[in-house]
Amino acid sequence: EARPAPASVLICSRERPALLGDTVRSVLAGAVVPAELVIVDQSAEVDRELAALGDVRGCRVRYVHSSTAGLSRARNVGLRTATSEVAVMLDDDMLVDERWLSELLAGRPAAPRALATGRVLAAPPEGDAGIVPPAALVERDTPAVYRGPQAIDVVPGANVALPRELALEVGGYDERLGAGTRFGAADDNDMGYRLLRAGCEVHHVPSAIALHRAWRSRSELLRLRWRYARGKGAFYAKHAERRDRHIRARAGADIARRVRRAARSVPTSPRTTAAELISLAGMASGAVDWIVTQRALGRRRGRSA
């Protein structure tokens, strides 16, 4: 039996016990298990089966039943609970290849500011309409190293190994962003951007494969697109308000690209046109909402000081 890998795998969940249980079993069935598996569960009821796991193949399973709400808050609870130098983020609707963890960690240099990311591929459909939101996938199949701010998001929310203490030092995940918040996404975009600005290198490791389960119905796609777009708009607004020229340029390029795609698809693909228009509207909604709510919060803080 191989020795546990020196890392803490972190899985956050809320009211998805069946999916969560499958993900946990997938990690614990790997060729190499982590030294520690931290489960942060925001469900109403304690999952007694997971809470009782204890030590499995040398992996210490730590189940944390949290009264917090929101994915970013759960991830921050997990980062503070974990004890390993490296935290590996995984979502509760993923299944991993048996060599996933060893490949991901082998691709991360032993440096305090190094991250490793792997591929997130779609699993087979579960039911007639099982789909995976395209934004949840990472399909780049060639190794790459990224330094400094990028024109695209290169640090996903899951299948990423990051330096735990540095993630906390830069402020952890922004608890105003992500699933379960007013701005339902882009917590991962924001964390990745701040880590790159802090001098981190991102090493993409295509051989580290996680499968995203295709359990959602097609009818959810537009709602998810709107949510992702609102989060992205808030992310852009957060950094643009700080006079971040890179983010301003990136937001402008993103908007222009979507406008061009919507215009080109009008005669041939009304569905694509509608999808891009929804994304543009969602980004605008998220950006305006962020600016208004954060300025209102600033005024309230000023009056109470």
Side-chain angles (χ1 to χ4, degrees), residues 84-98:
S84 301
E85 175 186 332
V86 178
V88 180
M89 317 303 291
L90 198 64
D91 284 344
D92 67 351
D93 54 359
M94 290 181 169
L95 301 172
V96 292
D97 178 89
E98 68 170 8

Side-chain angles (χ1 to χ4, degrees), residues 104 116-120 138 140 156 158-160 203-210:
L104 186 66
T117 66
R119 282 191 289 169
V120 178
V138 180
R140 297 187 300 275
N159 202 6
V160 55
H203 294 254
H204 182 57
V205 186
S207 58
I209 298 172

Side-chain angles (χ1 to χ4, degrees), residues 120-295:
V120 178
L121 305 179
E126 298 182 12
D128 294 338
I131 58 104
V132 177
L137 301 177
V138 180
E139 299 176 304
R140 297 187 300 275
D141 59 1
T142 55
V145 180
Y146 303 97
R147 301 179 181 90
Q150 301 293 313
I152 59 172
D153 295 306
V154 296
V155 180
N159 202 6
V160 55
L162 50 81
R164 185 181 64 85
E165 290 188 3
L166 181 60
L168 290 171
E169 285 174 17
V170 301
Y173 287 87
D174 190 330
E175 296 180 0
R176 299 166 293 181
L177 297 171
T181 72
R182 186 184 188 98
F183 308 99
D187 51 310
D188 48 352
N189 308 149
D190 179 68
M191 171 60 87
Y193 184 68
R194 285 184 285 125
L195 288 171
L196 285 165
R197 291 296 297 258
C200 286
E201 286 187 349
V202 177
H203 294 254
H204 182 57
V205 186
S207 58
I209 298 172
L211 296 179
H212 194 299
R213 295 178 66 173
W215 61 275
R216 294 185 181 275
S217 66
R218 188 167 295 278
S219 63
E220 294 181 75
L221 274 180
L222 290 182
R223 179 177 60 81
L224 289 171
R225 180 178 285 272
W226 174 261
R227 191 185 86 188
Y228 290 150
R230 269 185 55 83
K232 184 60 73 71
F235 162 64
Y236 285 151
K238 172 184 174 178
H239 294 280
E241 276 209 306
R242 297 172 179 175
R243 302 186 186 280
D244 187 320
R245 289 190 294 177
H246 172 84
I247 284 292
R248 290 183 175 187
R250 180 175 154 182
D254 190 2
I255 292 168
R257 183 171 58 252
R258 292 183 183 280
V259 168
R260 288 195 300 270
R261 193 178 298 158
R264 285 199 302 266
S265 63
V266 168
T268 57
S269 179
R271 180 174 292 179
T272 299
T273 303
E276 294 299 345
L277 291 177
I278 288 169
S279 290
L280 288 165
M283 286 165 59
S285 169
V288 171
D289 196 359
W290 177 275
I291 292 167
V292 170
T293 55
Q294 295 308 305
R295 288 180 179 175

